[in-house]
Amino acid sequence: MSSTPTDSSAVTTVGADNGHTTTTGQPLVVDKATKRRVAAASTIGTTIEFYDFYAYATAAVAVFPMLFFPANDNPTVNLLASFATFGLAFIARPLGSIIFGHFGDRVGRKATLIGSLLTMGVATILIGMLPTYDQIGIIAPALLALMRFCQGLGLGGEWSGAALLAGENAEPGHRARAAMWPQLGAPFGFFLANGFFLILVATLGHQTGDTGDAFMTWGWRIPFLASAVMIIIGLWVRFSLEETPVFQQAVNQGKRVKSPLKELFATSFGPLVQATFIMLSTYTLFYLVTTWILSYGIGDRSRGLGLSIPYFEFLQLQLATIPFFAIMIPISGWLADVWGRKKTLILASVLLLAFGMTFTALLDPATATKPTVFIFLMAGMAIMGLIFGPMSAILPELFPTNVRYTGSGIAYNVSSILGAAIAPFIATWLVAEYGVAQVGIYLIIVTLITFGAVLTMKENKNNDLTQV
């Protein structure tokens, strides 16, 4: 099968099974070799993409405020400036979903996924080569912002393509479990990125605030440059793929549209808004328990701005809790297939509301300890896996095939602006002005918005993707 299929007069007969059917009307049976290739390609690709993204997120807390934004004597202002650049990628992501979504719905899933991987990867490698503020002045943060923007473009086209690659190759009754493979790229990429930084800090030595040691001089660049090896592996896997049968059927039936974006807004604006808010709390939670919590964990306890945990020790805490995130993803995929998408998200939302009430008990500078921080991270990561796992099935199911790449991508990435891009910034400001308890209230408010969107959604676990 070609990655750029041409129109055909063949018509596919659609059955009523969950999944999709062949041209004979029989449910699609995917051979084991194809299953392995699809699982590997969707997981490896998103692992690389998230590794690149999280490497930046880690450096945005521990490295960039001092090397790229050192002009202000106030460390909180420098951190907020770094977070603003971190958030720039989220602004770029909807644009990336429009660009790559257009080609994903017009040309095919395979070729578009290769393009998104290259865009993200090249930008990440270039970050590892950038001169610092002391070397070229204001141009340094400008170049960093540009590369961050390009990272956002690439990731904007990556997730939806990987989700469709897995979901559109799924057998009846197993779509959420099949589509959970790209979701595993999030904990895998996070573990690799933070693990790499942990090894470098342990090997080279680094104390928070020291800008003259080996880690701050050159060591921080290694994770970004090492992305080149992972990109080569990812490209090799993706070039071995075939186009998804659901997209090929849409081509055969002449269902492709000239402008997927225009068609999306004309036919699926309601699902687009619904999908955006369904994803909102997922993003807010994740960037609170990964990016913001790192800045808070190593922040100044004496000023009430953090817990003063050494950077090396906090990375250890984060790495120890990532398995809870990864374990819950396949569990949530199974629940979404057996129990239903809606019930699974309702459970996750209720747990998330309860989690928002624990910030004072577990993170207050007056009483928090490393064990309480571990409990906080463990609970947050586990809930994250439960709510994030089925999203790669839930969001695409809301859109027809000819706009599925564009629609799911825009919803996923617009929610990243509303949920993730501003979450570390808002949380840092709330702690400085009102205390850590208000961060929990912020999470509760966002979760209530998502809860409302979930209650209005239809149960789609038995829908056939070829029928929409």
Side-chain angles (χ1 to χ4, degrees):
M1 234 176 253
S2 169
S3 62
T4 57
T6 57
D7 290 339
S8 167
S9 60
V11 177
T12 300
T13 303
V14 179
D17 297 279
N18 174 24
H20 44 266
T21 57
T22 66
T23 54
T24 63
Q26 297 301 315
L28 174 72
V29 178
V30 182
D31 64 85
K32 292 182 179 180
T34 299
K35 286 181 181 179
R36 287 193 295 267
R37 285 198 301 270
V38 169
S42 57
T43 306
I44 291 175
T46 52
T47 297
I48 295 170
E49 301 277 0
F50 281 107
Y51 165 85
D52 291 350
F53 216 67
Y54 299 152
Y56 189 102
T58 302
V61 172
V63 177
F64 296 152
M66 290 174 282
L67 296 185
F68 287 85
F69 304 95
N72 194 298
D73 293 332
N74 188 329
T76 300
V77 172
N78 293 340
L79 179 61
L80 289 173
S82 183
F83 276 154
T85 308
F86 171 76
L88 183 62
F90 293 96
I91 305 299
R93 284 171 65 163
L95 179 59
S97 65
I98 292 172
I99 295 172
F100 289 105
H102 175 85
F103 291 104
D105 285 326
R106 285 288 303 161
V107 177
R109 307 340 188 183
K110 173 183 172 179
T112 306
L113 279 168
I114 291 171
S116 68
L117 180 61
L118 282 172
T119 302
M120 181 82 174
V122 171
T124 302
I125 294 169
L126 290 176
I127 288 174
M129 300 179 179
L130 290 179
T132 64
Y133 185 91
D134 287 341
Q135 294 170 316
I136 61 172
I138 194 66
I139 298 176
L143 290 175
L144 182 64
L146 176 61
M147 292 303 101
R148 183 61 174 168
F149 188 85
C150 292
Q151 276 192 319
L153 286 178
L155 191 56
E158 166 62 28
W159 177 86
S160 52
L164 299 192
L165 177 67
E168 290 184 347
N169 277 290
E171 294 182 358
H174 292 79
R175 190 161 59 239
R177 277 168 281 187
M180 69 88 189
W181 285 106
Q183 304 303 80
L184 285 171
F188 290 171
F190 185 58
F191 187 86
L192 288 173
N194 274 26
F196 209 152
F197 274 94
L198 181 67
I199 292 171
L200 287 170
V201 170
T203 304
L204 301 178
H206 172 63
Q207 296 295 324
T208 302
D210 186 356
T211 60
D213 57 36
F215 173 76
M216 293 296 287
T217 302
W218 56 268
W220 68 269
R221 300 179 183 273
I222 298 176
F224 295 96
L225 298 175
S227 180
V229 177
M230 301 176 68
I231 292 168
I232 293 172
I233 297 173
L235 289 174
W236 174 72
V237 173
R238 288 190 170 179
F239 271 115
S240 68
L241 294 175
E242 297 180 344
E243 191 52 79
T244 73
V246 172
F247 178 77
Q248 183 64 59
Q249 175 188 299
V251 171
N252 293 342
Q253 293 181 330
K255 290 183 177 180
R256 283 188 299 184
V257 293
K258 184 177 181 179
S259 175
L261 182 63
K262 181 179 179 181
E263 181 74 9
L264 173 69
F265 280 95
T267 64
S268 303
F269 183 75
L272 181 65
V273 174
Q274 184 183 49
T276 299
F277 287 115
I278 287 172
M279 189 70 197
L280 182 62
S281 65
T282 307
Y283 262 124
T284 304
L285 170 65
F286 187 65
Y287 282 89
L288 287 181
V289 298
T290 57
T291 303
W292 166 76
I293 191 61
L294 175 58
S295 67
Y296 182 78
I298 66 177
D300 190 347
R301 184 189 289 260
S302 65
R303 299 172 59 194
L305 300 176
L307 303 178
S308 295
I309 299 174
Y311 178 55
F312 180 77
E313 294 180 17
F314 198 88
L315 284 180
Q316 289 178 308
L317 288 173
Q318 282 193 313
L319 287 173
T321 58
I322 292 173
F324 295 93
F325 180 17
I327 289 170
M328 289 304 298
I329 287 176
I331 292 175
S332 66
W334 179 83
L335 284 174
D337 274 336
V338 175
W339 198 24
R341 280 71 159 134
K342 189 170 182 175
K343 290 181 180 178
T344 302
L345 289 187
I346 288 175
L347 172 63
S349 296
V350 170
L351 293 175
L352 191 49
L353 289 171
F355 179 69
M357 301 176 186
T358 68
F359 278 62
T360 299
L362 299 177
L363 297 180
D364 191 294
T367 57
T369 62
K370 283 194 285 187
T372 66
V373 173
F374 178 83
I375 293 172
F376 175 87
L377 291 171
M378 179 183 66
M381 288 292 185
I383 297 171
M384 180 64 199
L386 182 64
I387 197 170
F388 184 64
M391 285 297 177
S392 52
I394 291 170
L395 299 192
E397 288 170 348
L398 297 174
F399 302 96
T401 303
N402 58 1
V403 296
R404 186 171 294 137
Y405 201 128
T406 304
S408 60
I410 290 177
Y412 183 83
N413 290 298
V414 169
S415 67
S416 76
I417 297 177
L418 302 176
I422 61 175
F425 192 97
I426 290 177
T428 300
W429 175 76
L430 285 173
V431 169
E433 295 294 326
Y434 304 105
V436 72
Q438 299 305 311
V439 181
I441 300 300
Y442 165 55
L443 178 60
I444 289 173
I445 293 172
V446 171
T447 303
L448 288 173
I449 296 172
T450 287
F451 198 35
V454 169
L455 291 177
T456 65
M457 69 177 283
K458 296 179 180 179
E459 179 54 64
N460 292 318
K461 78 184 184 74
N462 292 319
N463 285 6
D464 189 325
L465 291 183
T466 59
Q467 292 181 320
V468 291

